[in-house]
Amino acid sequence: MLLGLTAVLLLAWLRLGDPYPVRALRDIGFDVYEQLSPRPAANVPVRIVDIDEASLTALGQWPWPRNLLAKLANRLTELGAASIVFDFVFPEADRWSPAIIAKTLGTDASPLIQSGALKDFDGEFATALASSPSVLGFGVLNIPGPLPARAKAGFA
């Protein structure tokens, strides 16, 4: 009786505590099951436009200029996308924008932007987002005082 109770308590602790070795074994098991018998592809209305190595080779390193992202948003809107989600944070102005480059060089770019001589890629992207059903990624950081130290390693 004591042996059975001990086994039940140990198994309950493993399930409730869910320690890392148990999680890792469970994840490996699910991966093996998926490889042995994958789910059949379903025709679902969700499509993911992924930035992969082929895209980076064709269009250049990331981050891409915002006018390119504007073209992508406009094209997806034309194709009838119900929602366009950019899972990125855009915390700064587009460094590839001719208007930003002119400002970096010390030139007052506002008359040139107004005349259309210099493009503002952020403006193009904002216009594309305003005319499409789009969502942007964002980050929330509500920590008083200095920022915590960044982790130097982690598990994926």
Side-chain angles (χ1 to χ4, degrees):
M1 179 89 150
L2 185 59
L3 184 63
L5 183 61
T6 304
V8 167
L9 289 175
L10 178 65
L11 291 173
W13 175 79
L14 282 174
R15 182 64 188 121
L16 293 174
D18 202 22
Y20 177 75
V22 173
R23 282 183 289 164
L25 285 173
R26 183 177 56 241
D27 292 344
I28 290 170
F30 287 145
D31 288 346
V32 169
Y33 292 147
E34 189 64 32
Q35 290 173 359
L36 291 175
S37 179
R39 286 184 242 173
N43 188 12
V44 294
V46 175
R47 299 291 186 261
I48 296 175
V49 179
D50 191 22
I51 298 172
D52 57 0
E53 289 299 323
S55 303
L56 293 172
T57 301
L59 300 173
Q61 71 180 11
W62 185 260
W64 290 336
R66 304 247 168 92
N67 67 330
L68 184 61
L69 297 175
K71 288 178 187 175
L72 176 63
N74 288 332
R75 182 66 179 134
L76 291 172
T77 302
E78 288 171 9
L79 292 172
S83 179
I84 303 169
V85 179
F86 288 93
D87 192 16
F88 311 114
V89 176
F90 300 99
E92 300 148 353
D94 182 8
R95 64 187 169 131
W96 296 109
S97 177
I100 297 297
I101 292 172
K103 287 178 187 175
T104 303
L105 295 174
T107 308
D108 181 19
S110 47
L112 296 171
I113 294 170
Q114 296 298 328
S115 70
L118 282 182
K119 291 188 175 187
D120 179 17
F121 291 171
D122 288 316
E124 289 182 30
F125 189 44
T127 302
L129 292 175
S131 63
S132 67
S134 56
V135 178
L136 296 178
F138 65 93
V140 177
L141 187 60
N142 190 13
I143 300 173
L147 296 176
R150 297 182 80 174
K152 294 186 178 169
F155 293 97

